[in-house]
Amino acid sequence: MRSRQVLQLLRDYESRNVTCVAPDGSWPIVWERARGVHVWDAEGKKYLDLTAAFGVAAAGHANPRVVRAGQRQMAALLHAMGDVHPHALKARLARELSRLTFERWAKLKAKTPKPGIRASTAKTIFCNSGFEAVEAALKTALLATGKPGIIAFTGAYHGLGYGALNATHRKHFRAPFRSQLGQFGHFVLFPARAEQLEEVDDSARRLFRTRQIGAILVEPIQGRGGIKIPPPQFLPLLRRLCDEHDALLVLDEVYTGFGRTGKWFACEHTATVPDLICLGKALTGGFPLSACVGRAGLMDAAWPAATGEAIHTSTFLGHPVGCAMALAQIEEIDRQKLVQRSAQLGVVLLRLLRSEISNSGFQIAVRGAGLLAGLEVWRPDGSPATTAVFNVIKLMLRRGFILLPEGEHANVISFTPPLTISERQLAVAVKVLQESLKGG
């Protein structure tokens, strides 16, 4: 089916709020297939994917080992019964996530809070998408502390479910539904500079004094918020605040997890151990599966033992195909040393962006960690270059490169390619971006 036909069907039968279709046909393309770092559209044109499809394809699109794991599982057991009759892969993946997070962090001798429920192992609640993992974490925090309030941050994006919306900051997402929200989220500045940490500390302490705060929920690096990287003292500060006020530190690593920032998890850059970590996107490489992973003692203290009717579950909980793919994906990331590769190529990408992107007529700022990088663009008068960025991204698309804008003003060109991308492919992409910015 040709792209034009597909887009017309979507206009006719999909909610019009979902797919943005440019009247001139310049956006979007219709994906036909993907492999490695490349995507082909319905007309057969080949693209270099610099998004990894929202960071999902960390080990490459359609990684053969991950695909085979999913195919084998589909042939053996396509669906199981969530919280009733389990399957072996769900148990294996829960064990692997414990090993990869809290057990590994314990070996690094990171400090863990609350000696009464100290534990180096972890327990998992499986979910389907990232925002559901966040909502499972919010429920855990309430059960564990009895306090409904949470501290979140300006620019935060934690998903669009009604629970997660209370912590997602951008007005565009929250405003239409404000009358139905619980309003238990309280926002504090997400710092860009070390001198802003005092304001963060003061604001958080004020909320702890005046509200019933059970958790701090934060992205170690904001992705949708514009690839915002806080100062290194930020997460340790939040850890101390939670310890002092008997609250839980919840890290949303749906975007930053599984090697994206040059560490298995972004919190490892500052050796900060959370109480709960939310995972998704690159977990499976392409199947809807997410996880809320928490310290075993905390999880046992918060959640009652099952008696036949779970109080948090879903039909597709711990889906066998997703679990099979996740185990294969984690193995591939490890086997190919993609975490180390992300760290090394991230340095290369930042160097290329800083050296090559110049003389474009715009004000430019470059930041990133591993293969999570952003190029923020302003007009000469200091205003966000939103229209110019989208025009550049459309021009890049015509030239065979898939990119996305991020940030509240959509003026940050983000780079989140598959971790399998080559240095040469990055160099070519940056060169073409430089040319496109001059034309934008």
Side-chain angles (χ1 to χ4, degrees):
M1 189 179 292
R2 307 281 291 183
S3 295
R4 179 177 52 80
Q5 296 170 297
V6 172
L7 296 177
Q8 187 57 56
L9 283 174
L10 291 174
R11 286 192 192 95
D12 293 342
Y13 297 106
E14 183 184 51
S15 167
R16 66 178 187 172
N17 186 247
V18 178
T19 304
C20 175
V21 181
D24 63 359
S26 60
W27 189 274
I29 61 170
V30 174
W31 288 29
E32 181 72 18
R33 61 190 178 93
R35 181 83 172 199
V37 297
H38 292 109
V39 171
W40 288 261
D41 69 15
E43 281 67 49
K45 182 177 177 179
K46 182 180 178 182
Y47 301 82
L48 179 64
D49 180 18
L50 298 167
T51 71
F54 304 124
V56 168
H61 288 284
N63 179 285
R65 294 175 185 238
V66 176
V67 169
R68 283 197 297 271
Q71 289 171 333
R72 285 194 300 268
Q73 187 56 44
M74 290 180 74
L77 179 66
L78 181 59
H79 175 63
M81 292 187 68
D83 61 323
V84 181
H85 300 298
H87 57 91
L89 290 174
K90 183 173 75 166
R92 285 180 52 197
L93 181 57
R95 173 67 182 85
E96 181 65 12
L97 291 177
S98 175
R99 183 196 67 79
L100 197 58
T101 58
F102 288 83
E103 292 180 41
R104 195 168 55 85
W105 296 334
K107 292 177 182 176
L108 300 175
K109 298 183 178 179
K111 292 181 180 179
T112 53
K114 305 175 183 65
I117 52 174
R118 187 184 184 97
S120 61
T121 58
K123 292 194 174 182
T124 288
I125 299 171
F126 288 110
C127 311
N128 301 303
S129 70
F131 84 83
E132 293 176 32
V134 169
E135 293 182 348
L138 296 177
K139 284 185 175 182
T140 303
L142 177 60
L143 291 174
T145 68
K147 295 178 283 191
I150 63 166
I151 293 174
F153 293 87
T154 57
Y157 182 89
H158 298 290
L160 305 182
Y162 266 16
L165 264 181
N166 285 277
T168 291
H169 181 252
R170 197 182 307 175
K171 183 179 179 181
H172 174 79
F173 298 120
R174 288 165 52 85
F177 311 104
R178 188 179 297 276
S179 63
Q180 289 184 334
L181 295 180
Q183 302 295 312
F184 56 80
H186 307 279
F187 294 98
V188 168
L189 174 71
F190 188 85
R193 303 181 304 278
E195 54 265 32
Q196 294 174 317
L197 291 173
E198 184 175 353
E199 178 182 344
V200 172
D201 187 56
D202 289 344
S203 298
R205 290 182 184 280
R206 188 178 307 114
L207 286 167
F208 277 118
R209 287 195 304 270
T210 59
R211 300 285 192 273
Q212 288 188 303
I213 301 296
I216 295 178
L217 172 62
V218 65
E219 302 155 274
I221 297 173
Q222 289 188 347
R224 292 292 305 274
I227 321 298
K228 293 180 181 176
I229 302 176
Q233 306 95 322
F234 177 54
L235 290 187
L237 167 63
L238 301 186
R239 177 71 275 171
R240 290 193 300 273
L241 285 167
C242 287
D243 292 346
E244 290 175 23
H245 295 89
D246 197 29
L248 303 186
L249 178 60
V250 182
L251 296 187
D252 180 346
E253 294 231 27
V254 170
Y255 213 145
T256 54
F258 299 101
R260 174 55 55 191
T261 70
K263 298 281 189 182
W264 271 102
F265 303 101
C267 61
E268 295 169 17
H269 288 285
T270 57
T272 304
V273 177
D275 297 296
L276 299 161
I277 186 168
C278 302
L279 305 173
K281 291 191 185 298
L283 172 60
T284 68
F287 192 91
L289 185 75
S290 63
C292 168
V293 184
R295 292 184 291 106
L298 164 66
M299 297 292 272
D300 285 347
W303 292 92
T307 57
E309 190 69 75
I311 61 173
H312 182 87
T313 186
S314 67
T315 299
F316 298 104
L317 184 150
H319 195 281
V321 178
C323 289
M325 292 175 64
L327 286 165
Q329 174 84 342
I330 292 169
E331 186 176 329
E332 276 296 274
I333 292 171
D334 191 35
R335 186 184 70 84
Q336 295 190 52
K337 295 181 170 53
L338 295 182
V339 178
Q340 299 91 319
R341 183 180 180 83
S342 175
Q344 293 161 3
L345 287 181
V347 173
V348 171
L349 177 56
L350 290 180
R351 185 176 68 242
L352 286 168
L353 289 170
R354 287 168 177 152
S355 62
E356 298 295 331
I357 306 299
S358 59
N359 302 319
S360 61
F362 298 101
Q363 298 181 46
I364 300 291
V366 175
R367 54 185 176 265
L371 285 176
L372 175 66
L375 182 78
E376 189 163 15
V377 186
W378 299 278
R379 306 198 70 81
D381 63 4
S383 61
T386 304
T387 301
V389 162
F390 193 47
N391 288 339
V392 166
I393 286 175
K394 289 196 291 185
L395 180 57
M396 290 288 289
L397 191 66
R398 288 200 297 271
R399 298 189 66 174
F401 300 86
I402 302 175
L403 286 162
L404 285 174
E406 299 289 9
E408 182 179 0
H409 304 291
N411 67 318
V412 180
I413 300 172
S414 67
F415 286 78
T416 60
L419 308 185
T420 54
I421 198 168
S422 71
E423 184 173 335
R424 181 180 179 279
Q425 287 166 330
L426 287 174
V428 170
V430 171
K431 177 177 172 56
V432 176
L433 177 60
Q434 162 72 341
E435 296 169 358
S436 300
L437 275 166
K438 286 183 176 179

